[in-house]
Amino acid sequence: MAILVDENTKILVQGITGSFGGRHAQLSLDYGTRLVAGVTPGKGGQLFADKVPIFDTVAEAVAATGATVSAIFVPPPFAADAILEAVDAGVDLAVTITEGIPVMDMMRVRAGMLGKKTRLIGPNCPGLVTPGYGEGSHGGCRIGIAPGYIHKRGKVGVVSRSGTLTYEAVWQLTNLGLGQSTCVGIGGDPINGTSHLDILKMFNEDPETEAIIMIGEIGGSAEEEAAAWAKQHCKKPMAAFIAGSSAPPGRRMGHAGAIVSGGKGTAAAKIEALRDAGIEVAGNPSDMGQALVRAMG
Amino acid sequence: MNIHEYQAKELFEKFGVATPRGKVAGNAAEARAAAAEIGSNIVVKAQVHAGGRGKGTFKNGFKGGVHLVQTPEEAAEIAAQMLGQVLVTHQTGEEGKLVSKVMIADAVDIEKEYYLAILMDRESRSPVIVASTEGGVNIEEVAEHTPDKIFHQVIHPLLGLQPYEIRNICARLGYSGDIAKQFGKLLQGLFKLFMDCDCSMVEVNPLVTTPDGRVLALDAKFDFDDNALYRHPDIAALHDPSEEDPREVEAAKYHLNYIGLDGNIACLVNGAGLAMATMDIIKHCGGEPANFLDVGGGASQEQVRNAFKIILGDPKVKAILVNIFGGIMDCDVIAKGIVAACQEVDLNIPLVVRLEGNNVAAGKETLANSSVPLISADTLADAAAKAVRAISV
């Protein structure tokens, strides 16, 4: 097992004919992921990479191929519509890679998703990877934009708000011989679909996951909520890192969600909450892998 | 994105949010004409994106960015003292801000000051209206000392502002009768403005009642969602680049995410999270980062080149740390970009490069074989330590 997706999961890509979506769809195919359909309105009937059928609508793609997960690469002005289309088509998981979606759009999308079965991951996220068992973790399920080869199948669950910082953590783990069950990037936007806590609960219940590393950053209180829950309920060793302890208050550090305002969302407060929950906190970003080794004792 | 007070006033007028009469002026003659239209009891306010204007001082020695006057002549005189001058307040830093516009407005008599704001709340994923009977002061202080004097009303994202919610807020602020009616209209206008213009925050501080029975928004602070500006060209046009760090304006042209800081070790990183973490580790090693710079998860050679130019344009920078995790990107492409940039800009300060990821061996070889005198590092910790050491010798 792993969480959310495994090597048998069938995925479709919305925005597969765009340069960004197409490039990463190809990389997922190369990784051995079961990419079974693409969706681009007006391009139904064509093929991607000479083998993956393209449909005009998500509903058609799901009906024809049985895909249960959609990876969304649609540009920001059309992304909210694309997410709602995936929700209406009844996919289990909508992973939204798109960066730069207006917050109002995400607010309405989240409100519109209430009571639906679809889980949203992202937006503005690198996606998720359940590594495969082949060389360079080939044969896994890669949804999004993470480099597949840095992974290794194993027992560590990884959850993070960022992209390259997650790769850094995964790479440190892989080099220490610690493989991963699933690596989830939840995204750096202020309103997103899935929180640190949601993923933490899944890792806690997943029999394959034996340890968890959580990478957060300044802004909001998602890390504190996850820490409070972990203190009471988490059965597995945990390590964490919080980026942004040197960031000036009031400035948005790249990610729209990464801002310290009104004295809230500081790295110091988050680190204190994590330590209070018995979580091993990495003192600097070079120490993320080692922190998990210490947590596992 | 922020806007000026006079621009906020124009938005208020458009959305029916009651506010004192006022006009913007770019020279003394315009100030005189605007003041003549308003009559007596006039306030002249310097237009800069910073708080504390009233207590600020101009670099020419003139005191105060907010003045009360009685005649058009006085208004013109005060405007002439402010325009073209640099105002320093507790929020501008020592360098201050150039005043190129003043606002001439009706100085209304105030009975009582209140606080009113609408903001996008990430916890409830909804707009939240924040109101308080304690206006005109720093709301963070009110929140700390007397939190029960601040009232929050969460608004449903799809249903919008309901009449009962307005009644709730009126009850908390002590409004009834005609004042409640006027406030209801003001709040409806403000909420519509917030939603229609993709605001992330609009803060009215103070909201005032007047002895003659009016409710007015006296001052406003806006923050717009940058991601939504593409659908509001009229608001995007209000952007005033002279209010921003010129390095940040330059970086934005090349789609680089740059924030200037006060340290002397510049960093160039791909990805926002890793960029923050790189600043953190510089500090952890005893250095001070000169900037936050994210060239994007998939940086191009061209972006790396422009990023170098911006970094080297900052005279405070004494060393550069490049940290690239080439996930999908080919590290060799990045390495070639670094070498090309260094040759072009005539690098004369220490450069520490840490490359990791895809095709890293070829990238390191490109760096080693180049004539650029760079310091190569293997891990993030190694890179930060080397950068700090490079400036301490």
Side-chain angles (χ1 to χ4, degrees):
Chain A
M1 265 310 287
I3 65 164
L4 295 164
V5 294
D6 62 24
E7 51 276 16
N8 299 314
T9 306
K10 290 190 201 171
I11 76 165
L12 66 86
V13 170
Q14 285 174 263
I16 198 165
T17 55
S19 63
F20 188 46
R23 180 154 175 246
H24 286 284
Q26 184 61 53
L27 288 166
S28 286
L29 283 172
D30 297 345
Y31 191 62
T33 300
R34 296 187 67 190
L35 171 56
V36 297
V39 173
T40 298
K43 302 215 169 154
Q46 300 180 11
L47 288 177
F48 175 79
D50 298 326
K51 57 180 173 187
V52 179
I54 299 175
F55 299 86
D56 285 322
T57 68
V58 179
E60 288 173 293
V62 166
T65 65
T68 57
V69 174
S70 178
I72 299 172
F73 286 87
V74 173
F78 318 107
D81 180 55
I83 298 169
L84 292 171
E85 183 184 0
V87 171
D88 193 54
V91 297
D92 294 330
L93 196 61
V95 183
T96 306
I97 308 305
T98 311
E99 177 179 357
I101 305 176
V103 181
M104 287 282 181
D105 290 7
M106 286 315 303
M107 176 187 85
R108 293 191 179 100
V109 164
R110 281 303 308 268
M113 285 178 72
L114 261 184
K116 308 279 185 175
K117 72 167 198 175
T118 306
R119 170 174 289 286
L120 172 70
I121 296 203
N124 189 15
C125 79
L128 62 158
V129 176
T130 291
Y133 294 95
E135 193 186 328
S137 77
H138 189 270
C141 183
R142 171 189 181 273
I143 301 170
I145 58 174
Y149 69 91
I150 62 169
H151 297 83
K152 170 188 160 78
R153 182 65 175 239
K155 296 165 179 173
V156 181
V158 180
V159 57
S160 168
R161 275 207 244 173
S162 104
T164 46
L165 182 59
T166 314
Y167 312 159
E168 175 81 40
V170 169
W171 189 237
Q172 286 177 21
L173 293 172
T174 297
N175 283 329
L176 287 166
L178 295 169
Q180 306 90 39
S181 52
T182 302
C183 302
V184 187
I186 60 172
D189 274 9
I191 296 183
N192 62 7
T194 296
S195 68
H196 278 303
L197 179 53
D198 295 331
I199 300 294
L200 200 53
K201 287 178 177 169
M202 291 179 213
F203 280 138
N204 201 36
E205 295 306 316
D206 173 37
E208 189 185 337
T209 302
E210 292 180 3
I212 302 163
I213 183 162
M214 178 168 90
I215 298 150
E217 58 193 37
I218 51 166
S221 58
E223 290 83 358
E224 288 91 326
E225 281 158 27
W229 181 87
K231 188 176 181 178
Q232 300 290 328
H233 306 284
C234 192
K235 307 178 276 201
K236 302 175 182 180
M238 271 189 79
F241 174 70
I242 302 292
S245 56
S246 59
R251 300 303 306 267
R252 166 177 140 162
M253 305 305 284
H255 287 155
I259 180 164
V260 172
S261 54
K264 294 222 174 98
T266 64
K270 288 174 190 289
I271 289 167
E272 195 187 315
L274 292 164
R275 290 215 167 111
D276 180 55
I279 296 166
E280 180 71 30
V281 180
N284 68 69
S286 249
D287 182 44
M288 294 186 288
Q290 286 295 347
L292 189 69
V293 172
R294 292 196 298 274
M296 292 168 77
Chain B
M1 191 191 94
N2 299 317
I3 58 173
H4 286 295
E5 186 186 11
Y6 74 91
Q7 297 167 327
K9 185 181 279 292
E10 285 163 14
L11 276 176
F12 278 171
E13 281 163 5
K14 190 171 156 193
F15 282 86
V17 176
T19 178
R21 279 186 309 151
K23 277 199 150 178
V24 67
N27 58 50
E30 283 175 17
R32 183 182 292 111
E37 242 178 77
I38 288 163
S40 57
N41 282 337
I42 300 153
V43 61
V44 182
K45 295 166 118 176
Q47 298 294 289
V48 290
H49 292 180
R53 289 174 299 175
K55 289 185 179 142
T57 304
F58 287 86
K59 284 199 170 164
N60 63 356
F62 187 64
K63 291 233 183 294
V66 177
H67 282 258
L68 282 169
V69 298
Q70 292 303 324
T71 66
E73 283 63 40
E74 282 178 274
E77 217 171 277
I78 297 288
Q81 297 269 21
M82 292 181 178
L83 289 163
Q85 300 300 325
V86 174
L87 177 64
V88 179
T89 82
H90 72 271
Q91 283 189 3
T92 60
E94 276 173 34
E95 62 273 25
K97 286 197 166 169
L98 178 71
V99 177
S100 53
K101 294 223 163 37
V102 294
M103 193 172 78
I104 309 294
D106 190 2
V108 295
D109 289 331
I110 295 168
E111 186 182 71
K112 180 165 170 50
E113 295 183 313
Y114 301 83
Y115 176 92
L116 178 66
I118 308 176
L119 41 98
M120 186 58 87
D121 177 50
R122 55 205 282 178
E123 262 62 67
S124 61
R125 302 182 200 100
S126 309
V128 172
I129 296 177
V130 183
S132 175
T133 51
E134 307 302 299
V137 291
N138 186 347
I139 197 69
E140 266 101 31
E141 278 170 31
V142 180
E144 202 184 321
H145 301 299
T146 48
D148 53 314
K149 288 192 170 167
I150 297 178
F151 178 59
H152 294 88
Q153 177 79 54
V154 177
I155 308 299
H156 191 282
L158 303 180
L159 296 175
L161 180 62
Q162 302 296 310
Y164 83 86
E165 292 166 333
I166 299 176
R167 293 197 298 274
N168 276 349
I169 298 166
C170 280
R172 293 294 293 248
L173 295 180
Y175 294 160
S176 60
D178 187 52
I179 289 282
K181 216 163 147 186
Q182 285 184 49
F183 174 74
K185 187 167 171 286
L186 183 148
L187 184 56
Q188 275 171 327
L190 194 70
F191 188 77
K192 186 165 168 35
L193 196 174
F194 179 84
M195 297 299 288
D196 287 5
C197 297
D198 277 288
C199 297
S200 43
M201 183 196 71
V202 45
E203 183 183 55
V204 178
N205 191 19
L207 173 82
V208 301
T209 51
T210 66
D212 60 354
R214 291 183 295 159
V215 183
L216 298 170
L218 215 57
D219 198 359
K221 203 170 140 195
F222 276 80
D223 200 357
F224 297 94
D225 177 5
D226 292 345
N227 288 343
L229 286 176
Y230 75 87
R231 58 190 177 200
H232 303 290
D234 49 333
I235 289 164
L238 303 178
H239 180 226
D240 180 356
S242 75
E243 283 286 339
E244 282 170 23
D245 186 328
R247 297 170 299 177
E248 292 175 21
V249 175
E250 183 69 11
K253 273 193 222 161
Y254 304 110
H255 304 286
L256 299 167
N257 220 326
Y258 175 96
I259 293 174
L261 302 168
D262 295 327
N264 53 13
I265 299 178
C267 30
L268 187 164
V269 189
N270 65 333
L274 192 60
M276 265 189 277
T278 304
M279 286 164 45
D280 295 345
I281 201 165
I282 288 172
K283 203 141 185 173
H284 180 81
C285 292
E288 284 293 332
N291 63 275
F292 166 92
L293 175 55
D294 166 20
V295 294
S300 69
Q301 198 169 322
E302 181 67 12
Q303 277 180 309
V304 171
R305 203 166 58 89
N306 286 316
F308 261 93
K309 284 190 182 163
I310 288 163
I311 284 174
L312 291 168
D314 181 347
K316 290 199 303 287
V317 170
K318 298 287 178 261
I320 302 174
L321 196 172
V322 173
N323 180 24
I324 300 286
F325 197 105
I328 302 300
M329 300 266 351
D330 187 329
C331 284
D332 195 32
V333 171
I334 289 288
K336 284 176 177 147
I338 293 169
V339 170
C342 293
Q343 282 163 347
E344 191 180 329
V345 298
D346 194 18
L347 184 77
N348 55 6
I349 53 174
L351 167 67
V352 179
V353 180
R354 185 261 179 155
L355 284 180
E356 190 55 86
N358 193 9
N359 207 15
V360 65
K364 284 188 173 171
E365 202 175 309
T366 297
L367 294 178
N369 292 340
S370 78
S371 57
V372 177
L374 52 82
I375 303 162
S376 184
D378 289 325
T379 67
L380 200 38
D382 184 34
K386 281 177 172 161
V388 171
R389 207 177 310 139
I391 55 166
S392 56
V393 291

